[in-house]
Amino acid sequence: MSQFITVQVGQCGNQIGSAFWPLALHEYGIQTTSGGVNLLKVQRNHVKHISDLSDAFPSFFHVPVKTDNLYFENVADLSKAKVKARALLIDMEDSVVSRFKQGPLRQLFDQTCIVTNYPGSGNNWAIGYHVHGREYHDRIEESIRHMVEKCDRLHGFLLMHSLGGGTGSGLGTATLKLLKDYYSHVERIVSCIYPANIQDTVTAPYNTLLATQELIEHATCVFPVENKALLDICNSQMNKRENTNQINYNASCKPFQDMNSIIANMLLHLTSGSRFPGSLNMDMNEVATNLVPYPQLHYIFSSVSPITLSAPNMCTMQEPKLQDELFTNAWSRNNQLIKLDPLQSTSVILAAAHIARGNTTLTDIKRNVERFQNKSKFTSWSRDCMKIGLCSIPPAGHSSSLLCLLNSSTMSLLFKDVIQEFSKLYRKKAHIHHYTQVHGFEETQFIESKENILHLSECYAEIQNMKETNISRLQVI
Amino acid sequence: MLTIQFGQCGNQLGRDLFSRVCADLESPNTGVSHGANYEYVESTIEKWFDGMTERGRHLARAILVDTEEKVVNGMWKDPQASWTYRASNVVCQSGGGCANNWAYGYKISSQRLSDSMVSVTRREIEKLDRFQGFLLLLSSAGGTGSGVGSRMVETLRDEYETKSIVASIVLPFTFGEVSTQNYNTVLTLAEFSDRADFSVLFENQQMHAMSTSLLNNSNTMLCDMNNIISENLLAAFQPSDEARCNMNFLTSKVAAHPNFRFVTIKSAPHVPATSLQYEPNYKWNVYVRHLKQTLRISKSQVELTNVQLKAPNPSLSKTVVSHTYSPCVSNILVTRGKSVENDAIMLEDLQKRHLYPEWIASTESLTHLHQERKFLNRDKFLALITNNSEIHRPLDTYLDKAWNSYKFAAFLHQYKQFGLEEDDFLEAFTKVENIVQEYKSLKSGN
């Protein structure tokens, strides 16, 4: 089974992590909290797949003792076996990471893999990237090497951070660059939070711009997420009354926790093909091959369906119809993790991947991909750029679910937004001195980043308006 | 015969294939004397298997090649099966798959795997007194099957110049299984057209349609499609009464011309296993005529109904002569089941000169192989191994789509980063264009 190292940077990144690890454990059938809803009860069928699940246990966790039986029942079992999460926790303040240190999962994290500092990066990308990046370079490098050495088949790094603040965006992208320098052949999957409009910090537009530039340069694939989109998804789930488990769950959870678990679910689904068997495997490295037609156009729309944490107990619909609805939901703009519609009429799809888990059959996928091809617009070459994956292990609590990844030219709107927000602030040269006084940062970096991002969004526009060329096929003489 | 399974698809197909062989061996209704059946079983086992385990399970003579452990690991989990793989024949190194990238499989993964692949192959062959040839199973869509398979067929060709290499290549769905499938397919076909003696092509699209319409399987899964492919392959490769019928014989008959090396297998009847005993049993001629119909092409632009998706129809009169048939380089008809006097197998239908180009001698055009023993409990089962011009249609489609993305340089950077150059692409395109052109310009005599 392929293995992944999770790198969570900054407050936001670590909060996503705190939602990620309990859910990852649930997927393997381990209950983490004593109170609240017993998610395991919800997950009725995990026993059926127990051997496949425990086979895949090392993909996120390191088990030091060589045993054949990788089946654990609770957290106590985990700490007895000295199981460690393959995770690197980086934060420049202590608060969130220390919550990890006290939580029920504290045994799961290796002390050497926690990098903290005080005080934080002051919402300043330049401090995060240049000051902390330089200062902690060796420390982070060592921690990562430490973890990489424990992997026998490392497959990818999963980075989680936000772009608005200083630590996540600055040190996060510095770590990304470090990973690229040292482990260039390993996939770097980034799932990052875009602040988008509702800004909690003044300098967010600067940080976002500078970090975006780094992500374009160094990541293999980026799955952008917007808080607003998550909030809308959560709100619409709250109002649904059909599902008692969900209501109980809603009642017991914290708002950020719930939003972050959407991201966690997406990441679990994304890696499922690499972890579990299926009749049409989809490995992580296939994501980039299939979805990135041109270099640097690796910003991918993602949506999971169903988005709820558990399925309704009663289901009256027939299986094929249920499957169709699953697909329709995944294409809907309400389920996208950013507030853009990848299928809007003016944009084109560059590539798409549908990864199904559970009892979806090839026929279901075939029918629905053909439906998708009829409803969306493509460039002249991308109609067949479809990837399908079938993983036989359903996610916790469901009988089947679908992850839809789209590379759409709509993404240029995100970049335009980033530039617009940046220009608004930069026109008045506000707060620039915070950045320029940092050693290693040049003001030209602002302009260069802006140019680069502008260029990228022009690339999308170019593809959107691509004209059919008439180069005939090779002639046989 | 040594089977080598590449990639996820190849391994899944291989497992199905061997299960079908066992099912055929164990089928209770043989229709022949005990002695004849014994002979059939003996030669089947010699062909596909290599000894037994202590528990009395047959060991498949197969090598499993994959870059991802998950599929290969699941292979021998079934303790009930009467056969299994030899654990030492697994060549697998998990570096995380081939990323659906032909170049990665061809240039990177194959290097890591090739030494052990070659030594395992040699070890297997040294055990054999009479080695017939290789059967390679792979799909052309992904990275492992197509890329590693392409490199391996080169190596095998260099090492075993005189042995037959037969490949069975599964072509992907046209709607798209993998974004890069069209490149991968073109690159694979170009490689195999030179190296393999002949390649049997199976279209997933066609298999899926057959499964839904003939077997009434509304929710077709991959294994159902693999079952049909396996039956087609077995109908061709299982022993027949022709003693010299080995792989070299098949090669010399079906792919005599070096420019025409892609064949398809059409078979009949396909019926759901549950209703097998209620299906009407027609005379041999009905089936032969049905198979001939599958060679029909339309004169006008109208799409013909896909004959392979229909059940044989006995009421079809012989007088309909207005159809045109696609020109064939050669055909092999394999019939399995009892042939009695008032129901003889008539070959005239398939011997007509209008099916073949002029340069093929009439003695060479059609080969008939027969086996009295029933195949998988079926009273009658026929397979037509045909090397005909219709194959240019699917190839043309893949070529067209691949060229279309190539024009816009889409996905090319993925291939270039593993050392595949523009020239390699153009060379592959030229080769496949040539094949398509050769098949297109095939003209039958009157």
Side-chain angles (χ1 to χ4, degrees), chain B residues 307-421:
Chain B
V307 183
Q308 269 189 286
L309 304 185
K310 293 206 298 197
N313 184 358
S315 62
L316 210 77
S317 73
K318 256 185 166 175
T319 51
V320 192
V321 283
S322 59
H323 299 303
T324 19
Y325 293 91
S326 77
C328 308
V329 178
S330 52
N331 286 320
I332 300 179
L333 180 72
V334 189
T335 49
R336 298 181 181 276
K338 200 155 201 71
S339 157
V340 288
E341 215 158 290
N342 62 356
D343 181 16
I345 302 162
M346 316 279 264
L347 299 173
E348 294 117 46
D349 266 337
L350 286 167
Q351 272 166 339
K352 297 258 166 65
R353 284 307 295 167
H354 65 78
L355 279 176
Y356 304 96
E358 275 161 0
W359 46 265
I360 276 277
S362 56
T363 46
E364 292 295 308
S365 56
L366 177 74
T367 314
H368 177 228
L369 301 170
H370 184 69
Q371 171 61 257
E372 286 278 304
R373 187 195 185 270
K374 288 177 185 171
F375 175 66
L376 281 166
N377 276 345
R378 315 264 172 82
D379 280 335
K380 285 167 184 159
F381 197 83
L382 297 89
L384 183 68
I385 310 167
T386 170
N387 186 349
N388 72 6
S389 104
E390 272 308 272
I391 196 71
H392 83 261
R393 279 174 211 280
L395 298 190
D396 204 40
T397 316
Y398 292 113
L399 204 53
D400 210 37
K401 290 180 169 176
W403 183 253
N404 202 16
S405 344
Y406 185 76
K407 274 193 299 198
F408 293 101
F411 296 103
L412 278 191
H413 72 279
Q414 315 260 20
Y415 290 81
K416 284 183 183 157
Q417 67 176 334
F418 298 116
L420 209 67
E421 298 300 326

Side-chain angles (χ1 to χ4, degrees), chain B residues 100-106 143 146-147 150 184 187-188 191 415 420:
Chain B
N100 290 155
N101 189 333
W102 189 88
Y104 191 88
Y106 185 78
S146 65
S150 297
N184 292 343
L187 290 163
T188 309
E191 200 64 45
Y415 290 81
L420 209 67

